[in-house]
């Protein structure tokens, strides 16, 4: 067989197996995984691991803001950062603003994403569950291949009340879509925030005080219970701690189709980071908040138990400095007026490899499942997330021994800081291949804007409802 490119001499790692083999690629697809392949062009992987390209199913890129502007992380800069860090596919977001529909914003997101250098899809955020959106627009976007919705149970003005959340779950069930949920209790956070500000507790560190783990646990329990009522599979986004993961574990033990994602930051950042001098703590503010340092080991336990099976970045597009960054309201701004979120597109694989594989907490195959195979399967990204004949030739050549000190320059992003600054990691991507083309080599991104492609998602079995309904009555057919 003739190949366009052979990745030669590496150790191929999938979610289940590790084998010394060459990878033969033609027309952007993996055509062979075997010994001693040859082609006019080869990529030397001697001494390196050959992993499936990373799949980041929760990241915010060039997201539109209420003032009509967009995040500072553009598709060009964000996708370059992905490639620099070994990620080849993303699922990012199309937002709905209250009072508006979802079709026009989605068209705008797709127009902007045409500059991407990685493959991409979108979760559709629903903030206003009008009849028009629920009954008319959601079916249209699902037909376009947008097969997941995101809802927020907190944040002004994004959050949905329980009735609206139920309507979204029902719409997803009718249309064969998946639902992802930001689980924190809106009323409890608002109430505590008011009290903290009244007490003069305005600094960044009070962000974590405003939303302790209880509010995440309560909303997670409710999100799961309501999803069970509708018989709709969900993924709980950005689980921050064990007590929340235990809610998911209980649901899973009862056979519910509930999955849990966590993010890089919940293995290494802490609430104490928000107490850095000056305004620096704002660099570590995200929601849910990172917890105490003792939580990290418990999160690894939840990963090893299999309760948490996806690790995303939740990359956020807010800079620190500048008129549109976290600091835009000055260094005395209170935590409520400071934008949430941390960047991490490029840090995700190196930090997780270093903390997980290099420190012996998980094995290589588990690392691949968490960062590529499981997210691809759960979100219906066919042909992504593994190294197998017929799959897209999305690969990362990984040096498992290279030690790198993370600086913001190594992240190759538009965001002007990284919360992982100064962290020394073991393991680093040395080349990234997207559909058979070398897109990054030795830190130099060499892809063209527009080389990424939209990934329409067809129906898939994993998210099919169980068919277990209270009283056997399918509410979703009527409301
Ligand atoms: O703080 C965070 N996570 N910001 C990004 C938006 C979200 O909640 O996912
Ligand atoms: Zn969220
Ligand atoms: Zn997010």
């Amino acid at each position: 067989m003739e190949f366009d490119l052979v990745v030669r001499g590496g150790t191929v790692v999938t979610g289940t197996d590790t084998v010394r083999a060459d990878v033969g690629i033609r027309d952007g697809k993996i055509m062979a995984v075997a010994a001693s392949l040859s082609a006019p062009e080869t990529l030397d992987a001697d001494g390196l691991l050959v992993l499936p390209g990373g799949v980041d199913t929760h990241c915010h890129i060039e997201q539109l803001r209420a003032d009509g502007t967009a995040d500072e992380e553009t598709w060009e800069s964000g996708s370059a950062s992905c490639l620099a860090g070994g990620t080849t596919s993303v699922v990012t977001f199309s937002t709905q603003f209250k009072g508006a529909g979802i079709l026009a914003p989605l068209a705008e997101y797709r127009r902007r994403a045409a500059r991407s250098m990685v493959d991409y899809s979108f979760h559709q955020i629903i903030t206003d569950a009008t009849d028009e959106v629920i009954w008319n627009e959601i079916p249209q976007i699902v037909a376009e291949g947008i097969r997941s919705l995101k809802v927020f149970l907190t944040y002004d003005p994004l959050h949905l009340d329980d009735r609206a959340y139920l309507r979204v779950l029902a719409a997803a069930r009718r249309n064969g879509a998946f639902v992802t949920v930001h689980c924190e209790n809106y009323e409890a956070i608002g109430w505590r925030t008011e009290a903290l500000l009244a007490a003069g507790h305005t600094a960044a560190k009070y962000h974590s005080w405003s939303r302790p783990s209880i509010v995440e646990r309560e909303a997670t329990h409710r999100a799961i219970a309501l999803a069970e009522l509708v018989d709709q599979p969900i993924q709980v986004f950005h689980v921050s701690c064990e007590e929340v993961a235990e809610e998911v574990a209980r649901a899973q033990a009862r056979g519910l189709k509930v999955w849990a994602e966590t993010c890089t930051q919940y293995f290494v950042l802490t609430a104490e980071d928000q107490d850095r001098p000056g305004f620096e703590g704002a660099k570590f503010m995200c929601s849910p908040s990172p917890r105490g340092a003792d939580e990290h080991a418990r999160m690894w336990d939840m990963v090893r138990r299999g309760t948490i099976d996806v690790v995303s970045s939740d990359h956020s597009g807010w800079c620190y400095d500048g008129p549109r960054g976290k600091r835009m309201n000055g260094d005395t701004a209170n935590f409520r007026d400071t934008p949430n979120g941390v960047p991490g597109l490029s840090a995700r694989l190196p930090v997780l490899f270093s903390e997980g594989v290099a420190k012996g907490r998980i094995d290589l195959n588990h690392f691949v499942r968490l960062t590529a195979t499981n997210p691809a399967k759960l979100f219906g990204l066919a042909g992504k997330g593994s190294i197998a004949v017929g799959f897209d030739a999305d690969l990362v050549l990984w040096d498992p021994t290279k030690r790198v000190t993370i600086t913001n320059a190594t992240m190759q992003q538009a965001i002007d800081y990284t919360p992982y600054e100064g962290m020394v990691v073991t393991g680093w991507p040395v080349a990234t291949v997207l559909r058979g083309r070398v897109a990054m080599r030795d830190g130099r991104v060499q892809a063209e804007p527009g080389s990424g492609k939209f990934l329409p998602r067809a129906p898939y079995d994993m998210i099919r409802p169980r068919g277990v309904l209270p009283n056997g009555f399918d509410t979703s057919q009527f409301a």
Side-chain angles (χ1 to χ4, degrees), residues 58 60 150 152 155 182 238 285-288 314 316 340-342:
H58 181 173
H60 303 264
K150 175 172 185 184
F152 292 91
Y155 284 143
H182 180 125
H238 39 47
M285 273 173 63
C286 58
S287 298
D314 196 6
S316 145
N340 279 211
V342 296

Side-chain angles (χ1 to χ4, degrees), residues 19-209:
V19 61
R20 283 294 294 269
D22 296 348
V23 181
I25 297 165
R26 196 173 67 207
D27 297 331
K29 299 271 185 203
I30 297 168
M31 303 304 278
V33 181
S36 303
L37 302 175
S38 56
E41 192 189 343
T42 58
L43 191 58
D44 182 16
D46 195 28
L48 302 176
L49 304 175
V50 181
L51 313 176
V55 177
D56 190 346
T57 48
H58 181 173
C59 50
H60 303 264
I61 298 175
E62 209 168 322
Q63 194 160 307
L64 300 177
R65 298 182 182 173
D67 64 2
T69 65
D71 279 352
E72 285 158 292
E73 195 72 87
T74 66
W75 274 98
E76 270 178 60
S77 62
S79 57
S81 186
C82 285
L83 293 170
T87 288
T88 48
S89 299
V90 295
V91 185
T92 172
F93 295 87
S94 171
T95 44
Q96 178 195 16
F97 293 109
K98 279 204 159 79
I102 58 176
L103 302 182
L106 179 60
E108 174 62 10
Y109 278 101
R110 289 200 56 181
R111 188 187 69 74
R112 289 170 181 262
R115 303 286 295 164
S116 179
M117 297 185 278
V118 295
D119 290 350
Y120 57 91
S121 183
F122 299 95
H123 307 291
Q124 177 62 55
I125 296 173
I126 306 291
T127 62
D128 202 356
T130 61
D131 281 348
E132 174 64 9
V133 166
I134 292 292
W135 292 98
N136 186 23
E137 297 192 345
I138 288 177
Q140 291 184 58
I141 64 157
V142 174
E144 212 179 297
I146 309 294
R147 202 160 282 278
S148 47
L149 309 174
K150 175 172 185 184
V151 299
F152 292 91
L153 301 185
T154 192
Y155 284 143
D156 253 335
L158 306 175
H159 83 283
L160 297 186
D161 62 20
D162 290 352
R163 173 73 73 98
Y165 172 49
L166 284 165
R167 280 164 61 81
V168 173
L169 290 168
R173 190 175 197 278
R174 281 192 300 275
N175 290 284
F178 194 37
V179 176
T180 64
V181 194
H182 180 125
C183 297
E184 291 185 290
N185 182 307
Y186 171 74
E187 296 291 349
I189 293 170
W191 175 70
R192 273 180 75 86
T193 298
E194 261 174 38
L196 285 163
L197 295 180
H201 295 329
T202 60
K205 78 168 189 182
Y206 295 107
H207 171 74
S208 72
W209 289 35

Side-chain angles (χ1 to χ4, degrees), residues 6 45 112 138 233 262 305 344-345 364 379 391 409 422 429 454 462 471:
V6 165
R112 289 170 181 262
I138 288 177
T262 191
R305 280 170 59 181
L345 288 171
L364 265 176
F379 287 94
F391 271 57
F454 173 62
M462 204 161 168
N471 314 108

Side-chain angles (χ1 to χ4, degrees), residues 82-401:
C82 285
L83 293 170
T87 288
T88 48
S89 299
V90 295
V91 185
T92 172
F93 295 87
S94 171
T95 44
Q96 178 195 16
F97 293 109
K98 279 204 159 79
I102 58 176
L103 302 182
L106 179 60
E108 174 62 10
Y109 278 101
R110 289 200 56 181
R111 188 187 69 74
R112 289 170 181 262
R115 303 286 295 164
S116 179
M117 297 185 278
V118 295
D119 290 350
Y120 57 91
S121 183
F122 299 95
H123 307 291
Q124 177 62 55
I125 296 173
I126 306 291
T127 62
D128 202 356
T130 61
D131 281 348
E132 174 64 9
V133 166
I134 292 292
W135 292 98
N136 186 23
E137 297 192 345
I138 288 177
Q140 291 184 58
I141 64 157
V142 174
E144 212 179 297
I146 309 294
R147 202 160 282 278
S148 47
L149 309 174
K150 175 172 185 184
V151 299
F152 292 91
L153 301 185
T154 192
Y155 284 143
D156 253 335
L158 306 175
H159 83 283
L160 297 186
D161 62 20
D162 290 352
R163 173 73 73 98
Y165 172 49
L166 284 165
R167 280 164 61 81
V168 173
L169 290 168
R173 190 175 197 278
R174 281 192 300 275
N175 290 284
F178 194 37
V179 176
T180 64
V181 194
H182 180 125
C183 297
E184 291 185 290
N185 182 307
Y186 171 74
E187 296 291 349
I189 293 170
W191 175 70
R192 273 180 75 86
T193 298
E194 261 174 38
L196 285 163
L197 295 180
H201 295 329
T202 60
K205 78 168 189 182
Y206 295 107
H207 171 74
S208 72
W209 289 35
S210 72
R211 47 206 332 125
S213 53
I214 299 167
V215 307
E216 187 186 354
R217 168 162 54 81
E218 184 281 329
T220 301
H221 181 86
R222 184 162 34 101
I224 293 170
L226 298 184
E228 183 178 2
L229 186 66
V230 180
D231 185 30
Q232 168 57 37
I234 61 169
Q235 187 194 43
V236 178
F237 262 174
H238 39 47
V239 168
S240 72
C241 58
E242 181 195 42
E243 79 178 78
V244 171
E246 287 288 6
E247 288 291 339
V248 176
R250 270 192 288 280
Q252 291 170 341
R254 291 175 43 238
L256 300 185
K257 286 194 162 188
V258 176
W259 288 269
E261 167 217 72
T262 191
C263 311
T264 324
Q265 48 270 33
Y266 300 112
F267 296 106
V268 285
L269 303 186
T270 64
E272 289 72 43
D273 286 320
Q274 292 163 17
D275 197 19
R276 302 246 182 139
F279 200 63
E280 288 282 306
K283 291 182 176 174
F284 304 88
M285 273 173 63
C286 58
S287 298
S289 174
R291 312 292 175 194
D294 52 348
E295 200 58 58
H296 299 157
R298 293 197 279 265
M299 287 295 280
W300 282 113
D301 285 341
M302 297 315 282
V303 164
R304 280 188 296 264
R305 280 170 59 181
T307 308
I308 295 171
D309 68 350
V310 168
V311 180
S312 310
S313 69
D314 196 6
H315 178 86
S316 145
W318 293 91
C319 280
Y320 179 62
D321 277 317
R324 299 175 54 242
K326 285 184 178 243
R327 226 171 168 179
M328 63 185 162
N329 296 318
D331 283 4
T332 53
N334 71 55
F335 67 86
R336 186 176 56 188
D337 296 339
T338 305
N340 279 211
V342 296
L345 288 171
S346 194
R348 182 177 70 113
L349 297 187
V351 171
L352 200 75
F353 186 94
S354 190
E355 290 296 305
V357 181
K359 292 191 177 170
R361 292 170 167 135
I362 52 171
D363 65 25
L364 265 176
N365 310 100
H366 200 163
F367 171 77
V368 167
R369 290 198 297 279
L370 292 169
T371 56
T373 314
N374 291 345
K377 280 197 181 313
L378 189 56
F379 287 94
L381 297 166
K384 300 292 189 186
S386 192
I387 300 176
V389 172
F391 271 57
D392 285 357
D394 297 348
L395 305 171
V396 200
L397 275 56
W398 192 272
D399 183 342
T401 58

Side-chain angles (χ1 to χ4, degrees), residues 462-476:
M462 204 161 168
I463 59 163
R464 187 180 297 155
R466 293 190 309 151
V468 180
L469 290 156
N471 314 108
F473 177 67
D474 185 359
T475 331
S476 72

